[in-house]
Amino acid sequence: MATSCTQKHLIRWIQLLLKCTIFLSLTAAAVSSRLFSVIRFESIIHEFDPWFNFRATKYLVNNGFYKFLNWFDDRTWYPLGRVTGGTLYPGLMATSAAVWHGLRKIGLPIDIRNVCVLFAPAFSGVTAWATYHLTSEIKDSGAGLLAAAFIAIAPGYISRSVAGSYDNEAIAITLLMVTFMFWIKAMKTGSIMHSTFAALFYFYMVSAWGGYVFITNLIPLHVFILILMGRYSTRLYSAYSTWYAIGTLASMQIPFVGFLPIRSNDHMAALGVFGLMQVVALGSYVKSQVSWQKFQTVMVVSLVFLLALGISALFALTYFGFIAPWTGRFYSLWDTNYAKIHIPIIASVSEHQPTAWPAFFFDTQFLIWLFPAGVFLLFLDLKDEHVFVIAYSVLCSYFAGVMVRLMLTLTPIICVCAAVAISKLFDVYADFSYFFSSSSAEKPNLSKRDRIMTLVTKLTVCGSFLAYLVLFVHHCTWVTSNAYSSPSVVLPSRNPDGSPALIDDFREAYYWLRMNTAEDAKVASWWDYGYQIGGMADRTTLVDNNTWNNTHIAIVGKAMSSPQEKAYDILKAHDVDYVLVIFGGLIGFSGDDINKFLWMVRISEGIWPDEIKERDYFTPSGEYRMDAQASQTMKDSLLYKLSYHRFPTLFNGVEGIDRLRGQNIRQVDIGNLDYFEEVFTSENWIVRLYKLKELDAMGRDLHTKGEFDRGSSRGIKKRVAKKPLLDVRV
Amino acid sequence: MVPKTTPKKADVASSASKFSDTISASYKAYCKQVSGDRQLQLIDTFCAFLVAVGVIQFLFVCAAKDSFPLNAFLAGFSACVGQFVLLVSLRMQVVNSFMGISPQRAFGEFVLASLVLHFLCLHFVN
């Protein structure tokens, strides 16, 4: 007896040790595969939104939390400004500031930039831990470990959490998984404490990402389905009521969310289910006291009555304006064409586009075909918590199909389901204990042939799945290193001899802005670059990636698509000093302003349909061209002129070759730039900066002045530009 | 027309009687459950008190026709609602404790959740 007891203890210790080792190595794998970008490039903040988060974090660290919440930012959205403190989700910044302070306290003063850069990889370890616990609740700890391993390296999650990708999603997925983990625990046990933790992490999630609405609707949906399935229990009541009461109250503490939880339709489902829960609780109490037949009538009558009352109240409240109707982003989830027609600004964001099918395989590899198998297996023994996973899978599969960025929320559940499928498979096929059992009593009477065949089958299945797992690791590493580790601020490229090189035009230009312009200079650019200009160049911008004011963006769009004299007036009226355009025609950089031009036209057409017409920017045959066939409106537009100004001089002075679009650009079409003056063009011509010319001292309009100057300066040698040798390799 | 309406009337009458039957039966069962159990009596009195306070707040807002410091009203109201559901959850566990959670632990959890709730309310009420 004593020996078996110590043996059990020993086994438990070994299990614990193994688990710890596995977790440590998982975290190491998760963190190290996210460090490609730091090793290839440097410790730098990526892309667009992270630059704002970084800037906000710096503000928080320098000014303290109180000032941060009251932050009015007058350096963006000039001249409106932005109530930044009240319009952001502070969770991310608060967490990294806390980390920064904590590290300082223990004597590790680290640059805030490094905290921000390494933030996402650090949290991926926590995500793996939460996924482990979630999956353990759903199946067992074996499946949990597999799920944790999958989520640690699945490219679908890495895409938003590589080092330097300092975005809200980096922390939000972690919080999503932790919240769900606590919810499943609470739902299973009915424990008020777990439920409170679920609510607190829900609060954290609300403070970190707008996607919290997903939780707000998924948990009530889960509860609702359970009630419909007749699985109401007092545990469910206790878990959900506690979560909703505390979670909702907590979510209203975030300034940006405010009273939305009781005002907007997005949150009404949760409230409705909360009400329903109370009714069901009462009903089930009554039901336990009287006969079923009596109860049936009572139930049907009161249900119909309540339903009618609830729905009519919802409509009435929405109608009278007490509850805000569904938001545009919500509609665009159901009707994929909605955004294109009504809100071009949402449709113009590339991550709001529908997902291409190969992306699913690219992001999750063999997990994507195990995913349905896992869901099916969960259907087989449909426990309460399985219903949750199924609801999550179905909803998120749809959402991920509609919007590329929601692939991120689908990935965790793919990992969980695939882990369930694989671990079920291994439960059956990796069970070799039967061959080692010594007692002959347990052995059924099988012929030797059968036994060998069983062994072969088991080995084949296990072997092939192990091979798949190895392939998966290779795929993940490959995808991470090739597709998701580019900061997009610095572009990888090659020298003519094939050696790697970096294209650093963005930072070159932003640094130029920082060092050579007045501190209060206003820079107009398309909104994509607003955050970067604010973060790297520290100059005032007209519009940025926050996109809260469509009209303001349309103004910039209108300026870009108008002829230069008109654009000059618009920009002057907004106090603009510099105009920044991104031009990829020389080097073949595809994300340039001309490729985004149609969105500028569309957005401004939405506000000024009389002045800007999308059709005018196409050739008569409906093509989008920049060469001789381009329409006159296109050739006159400011963006065309700013992009191609001086471009042909790189070639023969008459005609330049736009490598991105493969078209010949003629000097005749570009014409002269009278109202703007080129002040800076980066090495590979990706960023071009123009200054608005001062009004003429003699009172002539700038075009006349330009004509005059050109007449008087004939024969003076122009600056010779040299073509760079680099190529983009993206 | 007459033969059509009579069964409906009878139906209504019978369902009304069913209603009253059900309610009286549940009420009786409730009285039986509560009598002699001080814990449940205490919890239920507290629940009734919370409902009363919540209703008073709501009526006040209706009477004043203005919910100006909406956060204050919401904090007060949701303190009542939140405490109410917490109490009901506790009551369920007192009557029939959940698997793996002893009544003592349930009470501890209840206290923890109430503290969190009231901290949030205090923060919200300004």
Side-chain angles (χ1 to χ4, degrees):
Chain A
M1 196 67 202
T3 48
S4 79
C5 205
T6 47
Q7 255 186 345
K8 256 187 190 166
H9 266 287
L10 194 68
I11 287 176
R12 204 175 275 171
W13 274 108
I14 290 175
Q15 271 186 339
L16 191 70
L17 194 71
L18 274 178
K19 257 184 207 168
C20 287
T21 327
I22 291 174
F23 260 106
L24 280 179
S25 37
L26 273 185
T27 314
V31 172
S32 54
S33 70
R34 282 165 172 81
L35 291 184
F36 273 116
S37 54
V38 171
I39 294 165
R40 293 257 172 84
F41 301 95
E42 58 190 284
S43 166
I44 184 183
I45 304 287
H46 291 192
E47 304 203 317
F48 307 105
D49 285 15
W51 276 102
F52 167 74
N53 297 331
F54 177 50
R55 180 162 162 255
T57 312
K58 275 201 288 191
Y59 187 90
L60 171 60
V61 166
N62 293 332
N63 294 290
F65 193 66
Y66 192 70
K67 269 198 164 171
F68 174 69
L69 279 184
N70 291 316
W71 183 19
F72 178 81
D73 189 358
D74 56 358
R75 297 186 69 78
T76 52
W77 293 94
Y78 185 85
L80 307 169
R82 174 184 171 193
V83 192
T84 311
T87 55
L88 52 58
Y89 292 102
L92 179 74
M93 299 99 192
T95 313
S96 38
V99 170
W100 183 77
H101 281 295
L103 287 176
R104 266 168 66 95
K105 282 268 154 58
I106 60 167
L108 286 172
I110 291 181
D111 184 11
I112 184 70
R113 191 196 69 226
N114 287 324
V115 173
C116 294
V117 166
L118 297 177
F119 190 81
F123 267 80
S124 65
V126 184
T127 313
W129 173 80
T131 313
Y132 163 76
H133 278 282
L134 179 69
T135 320
S136 305
E137 294 292 330
I138 282 157
K139 194 167 173 288
D140 49 24
S141 55
L145 283 177
L146 272 174
F150 290 156
I151 193 78
I153 55 170
Y157 173 43
I158 288 189
S159 66
R160 289 313 197 86
S161 63
V162 289
S165 171
Y166 180 58
D167 213 343
N168 289 335
E169 287 92 334
I171 183 174
I173 295 302
T174 309
L175 296 173
L176 189 79
M177 293 322 275
V178 177
T179 313
F180 286 156
M181 173 193 97
F182 275 117
W183 164 247
I184 293 291
K185 281 191 176 175
M187 187 221 70
K188 272 174 100 172
T189 58
S191 156
I192 298 178
M193 181 182 69
H194 284 315
S195 204
T196 312
F197 280 133
L200 288 179
F201 276 99
Y202 170 69
F203 163 69
Y204 198 176
M205 173 80 182
V206 175
S207 78
W209 193 37
Y212 74 88
V213 181
F214 177 57
I215 305 186
T216 321
N217 286 302
L218 184 62
I219 291 182
L221 179 70
H222 177 212
V223 172
F224 187 63
I225 295 176
L226 285 180
I227 291 178
L228 283 191
M229 289 167 79
R231 294 199 180 177
Y232 165 82
S233 66
T234 45
R235 281 174 290 129
L236 195 64
Y237 176 90
S238 153
Y240 183 72
S241 301
T242 310
W243 174 79
Y244 182 77
I246 296 183
T248 309
L249 187 64
S251 68
M252 287 193 281
Q253 317 291 316
I254 305 295
F256 191 29
V257 177
F259 300 127
L260 276 185
I262 55 155
R263 287 244 169 100
S264 94
N265 258 330
D266 302 352
H267 300 73
M268 280 304 125
L271 180 62
V273 172
F274 180 70
L276 182 70
M277 200 71 178
Q278 313 303 320
V279 175
V280 171
L282 185 71
S284 79
Y285 176 75
V286 172
K287 184 180 151 195
S288 63
Q289 310 302 334
V290 293
S291 73
W292 169 242
Q293 271 181 332
K294 268 186 194 169
F295 181 70
Q296 215 171 10
T297 334
V298 172
M299 186 184 74
V300 169
V301 172
S302 34
L303 264 190
V304 169
F305 176 68
L306 280 174
L307 216 64
L309 193 76
I311 291 176
S312 53
L314 187 65
F315 272 102
L317 285 175
T318 313
Y319 183 74
F320 288 117
F322 287 112
I323 304 177
W326 307 96
T327 52
R329 271 168 223 263
F330 177 82
Y331 278 124
S332 59
L333 270 184
W334 302 109
D335 178 4
T336 40
N337 262 332
Y338 180 87
K340 215 171 191 173
I341 300 164
H342 299 280
I343 340 170
I345 189 105
I346 292 183
S348 77
V349 182
S350 63
E351 58 184 25
H352 291 165
Q353 303 296 330
T355 317
W357 291 116
F360 284 97
F361 184 77
F362 190 69
D363 274 356
T364 49
Q365 219 240 353
F366 86 128
L367 303 182
I368 193 67
W369 53 261
L370 282 173
F371 171 50
V375 174
F376 174 73
L377 286 174
L378 292 179
F379 254 114
L380 287 186
D381 58 298
L382 203 58
K383 284 190 207 147
D384 289 357
E385 59 268 25
H386 296 164
V387 176
F388 177 78
V389 177
I390 292 165
Y392 185 172
S393 322
V394 172
L395 267 185
C396 257
S397 306
Y398 175 75
F399 289 152
V402 174
M403 266 192 207
V404 177
R405 68 188 296 207
L406 293 180
M407 192 69 208
L408 188 68
T409 47
L410 178 66
T411 308
I413 204 66
I414 288 188
C415 292
V416 170
C417 289
V420 167
I422 289 201
S423 96
K424 191 94 177 175
L425 201 89
F426 279 158
D427 283 351
V428 176
Y429 284 98
D431 182 13
F432 294 105
S433 60
Y434 151 79
F435 293 97
F436 301 116
S437 66
S438 50
S439 64
S440 55
E442 287 173 18
K443 286 184 186 171
N445 290 326
L446 281 174
S447 66
K448 202 171 179 189
R449 205 186 106 103
D450 277 357
R451 289 181 56 184
I452 289 176
M453 283 314 284
T454 322
L455 184 67
V456 169
T457 326
K458 285 187 170 180
L459 282 179
T460 320
V461 171
C462 290
S464 53
F465 269 88
L466 280 177
Y468 275 128
L469 286 172
V470 172
L471 271 181
F472 174 66
V473 173
H474 277 286
H475 176 84
C476 289
T477 318
W478 180 80
V479 168
T480 310
S481 80
N482 284 294
Y484 292 138
S485 292
S486 169
S488 87
V489 175
V490 185
L491 306 166
S493 73
R494 285 193 194 287
N495 289 323
D497 61 354
S499 61
L502 296 177
I503 295 178
D504 208 355
D505 281 37
F506 288 101
R507 285 197 296 179
E508 184 193 349
Y510 293 139
Y511 199 65
W512 186 91
L513 257 181
R514 198 187 189 107
M515 302 314 282
N516 295 289
T517 59
E519 204 176 336
D520 60 346
K522 287 100 197 164
V523 183
S525 71
W526 189 233
W527 62 263
D528 296 25
Y529 313 103
Y531 280 165
Q532 291 187 345
I533 295 172
M536 286 189 255
D538 192 27
R539 288 296 171 266
T540 309
T541 52
L542 253 68
V543 292
D544 64 28
N545 312 42
N546 185 241
T547 65
W548 66 273
N549 190 326
N550 192 30
T551 316
H552 218 58
I553 290 175
I555 288 171
V556 175
K558 189 184 176 192
M560 289 292 190
S561 36
S562 307
Q564 50 173 332
E565 61 275 7
K566 213 168 145 195
Y568 181 82
D569 289 341
I570 297 173
L571 293 173
K572 256 296 181 228
H574 288 86
D575 248 359
V576 171
D577 300 306
Y578 297 91
V579 181
L580 181 147
V581 292
I582 306 292
F583 172 66
L586 182 64
I587 198 161
F589 171 66
S590 63
D592 73 347
D593 276 348
I594 293 183
N595 278 358
K596 294 170 183 170
F597 189 40
L598 284 180
W599 289 111
M600 306 187 198
V601 173
R602 276 175 205 152
I603 290 171
S604 48
E605 188 185 8
I607 308 282
W608 295 280
D610 303 333
E611 297 175 55
I612 310 281
K613 290 191 180 64
E614 191 182 342
R615 186 66 191 84
D616 297 344
Y617 292 85
F618 290 104
T619 60
S621 56
E623 285 173 290
Y624 185 61
R625 297 185 77 96
M626 297 297 140
D627 54 7
Q629 297 173 35
S631 69
Q632 195 54 44
T633 323
M634 173 60 96
K635 289 173 187 168
D636 283 342
S637 68
L638 179 65
L639 183 70
Y640 185 89
K641 295 219 184 294
L642 295 189
S643 291
Y644 290 120
H645 177 61
R646 246 170 22 82
F647 182 57
T649 56
L650 282 178
F651 299 85
N652 52 13
V654 182
E655 215 173 43
I657 300 158
D658 185 328
R659 284 183 50 196
L660 178 58
R661 285 158 279 268
Q663 292 166 2
N664 290 348
I665 312 296
R666 299 185 305 168
Q667 178 62 44
V668 195
D669 296 333
I670 302 166
N672 296 309
L673 204 57
D674 290 328
Y675 292 81
F676 297 83
E677 152 185 38
E678 182 185 2
V679 287
F680 181 79
T681 293
S682 62
E683 188 188 352
N684 301 297
W685 283 52
I686 289 184
V687 186
R688 309 200 65 185
L689 271 165
Y690 293 86
K691 190 178 189 338
L692 271 74
K693 279 189 183 161
E694 295 297 325
L695 292 172
D696 185 31
M698 294 162 73
R700 297 169 295 182
D701 77 57
L702 286 172
H703 179 66
T704 331
K705 179 171 181 277
E707 291 287 315
F708 179 78
D709 287 351
R710 271 190 293 280
S712 60
S713 71
R714 242 169 232 158
I716 295 178
K717 210 180 170 209
K718 299 235 172 79
R719 185 182 142 199
V720 182
K722 242 182 158 181
K723 217 175 126 191
L725 295 166
L726 290 179
D727 273 345
V728 172
R729 178 182 62 97
V730 191
Chain B
M1 287 306 272
V2 179
K4 252 188 182 174
T5 46
T6 17
K8 246 188 192 169
K9 259 187 188 167
D11 220 33
V12 169
S14 79
S15 56
S17 77
K18 269 181 191 168
F19 252 100
S20 61
D21 276 3
T22 318
I23 290 168
S24 64
S26 331
Y27 182 69
K28 261 180 213 154
Y30 170 75
C31 288
K32 212 172 106 188
Q33 187 190 40
V34 173
S35 63
D37 193 336
R38 294 303 293 270
Q39 259 183 337
L40 287 186
Q41 278 174 3
L42 186 66
I43 290 177
D44 288 349
T45 326
F46 195 8
C47 277
F49 169 71
L50 285 172
V51 170
V53 172
V55 168
I56 288 173
Q57 288 185 41
F58 191 74
L59 286 182
F60 177 76
V61 167
C62 289
K65 284 187 184 157
D66 183 23
S67 57
F68 163 58
L70 185 59
N71 55 332
F73 164 66
L74 276 180
F77 191 69
S78 45
C80 293
V81 174
Q83 194 64 65
F84 177 80
V85 288
L86 285 178
L87 270 172
V88 173
S89 307
L90 179 69
R91 189 182 189 280
M92 285 169 170
Q93 303 193 42
V94 168
V95 172
N96 193 357
S97 67
F98 297 157
M99 207 176 60
I101 300 179
S102 64
Q104 285 80 11
R105 187 180 149 188
F107 184 70
E109 291 184 351
F110 165 77
V111 170
L112 173 84
S114 304
L115 283 178
V116 172
L117 180 78
H118 285 283
F119 171 75
L120 288 172
C121 286
L122 273 182
H123 185 257
F124 200 36
V125 85
N126 268 335

